[in-house]
Amino acid sequence: MARLSFREQVLRVREDAIVSSVNRLLAEKGFDSMTVDEVAADVGIAKASLYKHFASKEALAAAAMVRVLQRALQAIEAQSAIAEASAFERLRAVTRWTLQVQLAGEMPSLPSQNSTLRATLIADKTYVDLVMEVSERLGEWIVQAQQDGALTSRLPPEVILYTLFARACDPVLGFLKAGGQHSDEKIVEWVLSTCLDGLAARP
Amino acid sequence: MARLSFREQVLRVREDAIVSSVNRLLAEKGFDSMTVDEVAADVGIAKASLYKHFASKEALAAAAMVRVLQRALQAIEAQSAIAEASAFERLRAVTRWTLQVQLAGEMPSLPSQNSTLRATLIADKTYVDLVMEVSERLGEWIVQAQQDGALTSRLPPEVILYTLFARACDPVLGFLKAGGQHSDEKIVEWVLSTCLDGLAARP
DNA sequence: GTCTATAGCCAGATAGAC
DNA sequence: GTCTATCTGGCTATAGAC
């Protein structure tokens, strides 16, 4: 039992290393440009060994998505733990976290059109459950922040939720980072401001 | 001379049909998922004939980008012609146009990571010149709108420009459209509002 | 479960006849 | 310039030895 547990631990560490590589490569190159050979080389094992752990390239991407969603849920729970924070402040903090993850090159980017990938994702109960969980948690905050008068009530919560989700793949961060003129902190605050405050002047 | 001109016209019409197909397929499936075979089938010619007109798949994408940029420039000039419009109103109108094009499935979507594609694009003088032209025209309006007090002065014009450009590939439009609950007009106005007004409540 | 080697496939690009 | 037929390379996935 102790031996088995140890073996399982080794397995988990190995698979965690694989998912880390996949996560970074997906952020760097995107799903289509990432090759399984690269992943194997990056992890330092043979390609065939990869396929003993994950059934397909799509399954690799799904595992990376599951992990980033788990991290997102942790960020959400960290905000829930701050008793004095308002719903709006919590949403802002989680959105900032999302931008930071993307800017750090740790946000996997998947093509929304690829049907094979979509099929693998929606067949993955862990992934679907996590997406639902994150959506519900954020959805509650959105409704609350609207009631507080902190978020606009002129937009349906659904639109606000999607807009926040979309910050995870906002290309503006990459544009500004590529310019090399500004610090990561500045870039994050600017994009956060475009999202929450908008571009039009405020009185 | 008349004969030659006629032949050139036929050629242009044919190439225009190719670019139309490429444009639509790029919007539908993205660059990586689009195949040259599909393009040929869609146009109704053999694949080899395509390669007589365009040197590579990347060149096809570049041609589609050139055309959409030309259309954007037309939209910009249409706004310039409205003497009584403010810079802010012009920016809003052009941004709305961008959202409408994307929602209509006519906005080609290219992966920003693909280096071969990037190389082809920046080697294409027509493409680069058009990007510069559009950027400068919008940049002037942005500075003017900031002076007018209509756009926030807390963000550098560069950040505002990138944010407006990014609306061309905003996934929120697709999410809302996929839901099937709302009219295209509603979706466009909502996303335009998230962009200009932001998510935070306005007094 | 790890490796080497390879099967199988698909897509970009081209040859060569007309 | 258009076609059919084909080449070529790269990528996912697997066979089979250890």
Side-chain angles (χ1 to χ4, degrees), chain A residues 34-37 47-48 51 57:
Chain A
M34 180 188 82
T35 70
V36 178
D37 289 86
K47 183 164 54 169
Y51 280 95
K57 183 183 177 183

Side-chain angles (χ1 to χ4, degrees), chain A residues 118-129:
Chain A
R118 276 195 76 83
T120 302
L121 286 176
I122 66 175
D124 186 329
K125 187 172 179 345
T126 309
Y127 168 81
V128 172
D129 285 351

Side-chain angles (χ1 to χ4, degrees), chain B residues 26-160:
Chain B
L26 281 180
E28 235 177 68
K29 330 183 55 169
F31 181 78
D32 291 309
S33 297
M34 180 188 82
T35 70
V36 177
D37 290 86
E38 276 175 329
V39 176
D42 196 66
V43 178
I45 62 176
K47 182 163 58 168
S49 303
L50 262 189
Y51 280 95
K52 295 287 180 179
H53 293 277
F54 298 92
S56 66
K57 183 183 178 183
E58 284 77 20
L60 285 171
M65 288 306 295
V66 163
R67 210 178 60 163
V68 81
L69 283 168
Q70 283 169 339
R71 288 182 63 192
L73 211 50
Q74 285 172 12
I76 288 171
E77 272 161 13
Q79 284 304 311
S80 291
I82 303 176
E84 67 271 21
S86 69
F88 181 81
E89 287 165 340
R90 286 171 175 162
L91 286 170
R92 182 171 53 197
V94 171
T95 305
R96 183 183 286 114
W97 173 86
T98 305
L99 297 176
Q100 286 166 341
V101 170
Q102 206 217 321
L103 201 51
E106 294 169 2
M107 183 65 77
S109 82
L110 306 184
S112 50
Q113 307 101 339
N114 187 322
S115 59
T116 310
L117 179 57
R118 276 194 76 83
T120 302
L121 286 177
I122 66 176
D124 185 328
K125 187 173 178 342
T126 310
Y127 168 80
V128 172
D129 285 350
L130 279 166
V131 171
M132 298 276 290
E133 175 81 5
V134 169
S135 297
E136 278 166 22
R137 299 291 287 270
L138 296 182
E140 284 166 19
W141 287 347
I142 289 169
V143 171
Q144 181 64 51
Q146 284 182 321
Q147 284 173 7
D148 295 344
L151 272 188
T152 179
S153 294
R154 302 182 64 236
L155 295 172
E158 178 195 19
V159 173
I160 296 178

Side-chain angles (χ1 to χ4, degrees), chain A residues 19 23 61-77 94 97-98 101 106-108 110 121-122 124-138 161 165 168:
Chain A
V19 176
N23 193 82
M65 289 306 295
V66 162
R67 209 178 61 164
V68 81
L69 283 168
Q70 283 170 339
R71 288 182 62 191
L73 211 50
Q74 283 173 13
I76 288 172
E77 272 162 12
V94 171
W97 174 85
T98 305
V101 170
E106 295 169 2
M107 184 64 77
L110 306 184
L121 286 176
I122 66 175
D124 186 329
K125 187 172 179 345
T126 309
Y127 168 81
V128 172
D129 285 351
L130 278 167
V131 171
M132 298 276 288
E133 175 81 5
V134 169
S135 298
E136 279 167 20
R137 300 290 288 269
L138 295 182
L161 179 65
F165 263 123

